[in-house]
Amino acid sequence: MGGAHEVVDLGLSARTAADAARAVGCRVDQIVKSLVFRLRDSGRALLVATSGAHRVDEAKVAALVGETLERADADFVRAETGFAIGGVAPVGHVKPILTLVDEHLLAFDEVWAAAGHPNTVFRLTPAELVRMTAGRVVTVA
Ligand code: 5CA
């Protein structure tokens, strides 16, 4: 990610969006939750970059991608992204991953995402998030 996106070590474990918002001092809506699902038919991974304020509506997202979603377990998340749950970044995965971006994140000038570890985050603009993930902006909640 180079110098443009500095990784901030929070000095504490922020495994949830609420923890991260408190540590950063931003709104919980501005936290990017990088949620991984498994597509039931193809077995492929799907990353939904979700506002910390939102719960993914799995039926809605399934309709968008044309496949039923399953919750990914920790091993699947690790295998598909290289990260452990609680620190999954929206970028920098071990292999390409189909990505959707919650349109609510585009309401903010800046958002914060995990940087690969529960203690770390980085700040970026929603436009950068969309570009860096090649994500499709959709209604997920
Ligand atoms: N570091 C924080 C803020 S950026 C973070 O990574 N938050 S998160 O929302 O992206 O990651 C936590 C999410 O992991 C939870 O919302 C939950 O959806 C998911 N999760 C937690 N435990 C499990 C589990 N056992 N199996 C699958 N998913 C889980």
Side-chain angles (χ1 to χ4, degrees):
M1 284 176 272
H5 295 100
E6 189 189 350
V7 172
V8 176
D9 187 339
L10 298 170
L12 53 83
S13 179
R15 289 180 188 281
T16 68
D19 292 344
R22 206 174 304 116
V24 166
C26 71
R27 290 175 53 171
V28 71
D29 309 52
Q30 288 175 274
I31 300 296
V32 180
K33 298 192 289 188
S34 297
L35 303 179
V36 178
F37 295 89
R38 184 178 175 280
L39 299 178
R40 186 171 292 163
D41 297 336
S42 63
R44 287 184 4 156
L46 171 72
L47 189 149
V48 185
T50 310
S51 166
H54 280 167
R55 208 187 143 76
V56 170
D57 180 335
E58 295 184 23
K60 190 174 277 185
V61 172
L64 288 170
V65 298
E67 266 192 72
T68 303
L69 310 193
E70 296 178 333
R71 249 25 237 290
D73 65 20
D75 288 344
F76 184 80
V77 173
R78 170 77 81 173
E80 295 294 328
T81 69
F83 301 122
I85 288 170
V88 178
V91 293
H93 307 125
V94 289
K95 43 187 154 175
I97 185 166
L98 177 65
T99 301
L100 303 178
V101 177
D102 181 351
E103 65 180 357
H104 185 53
L105 291 167
L106 276 65
F108 304 100
D109 290 340
E110 294 176 330
V111 296
W112 292 82
H117 184 281
N119 289 31
T120 62
V121 290
F122 69 105
R123 184 172 54 182
L124 72 174
T125 68
E128 287 170 334
L129 177 67
V130 172
R131 189 177 71 238
M132 292 162 80
T133 62
R136 181 174 155 206
V137 178
V138 295
T139 307
V140 303

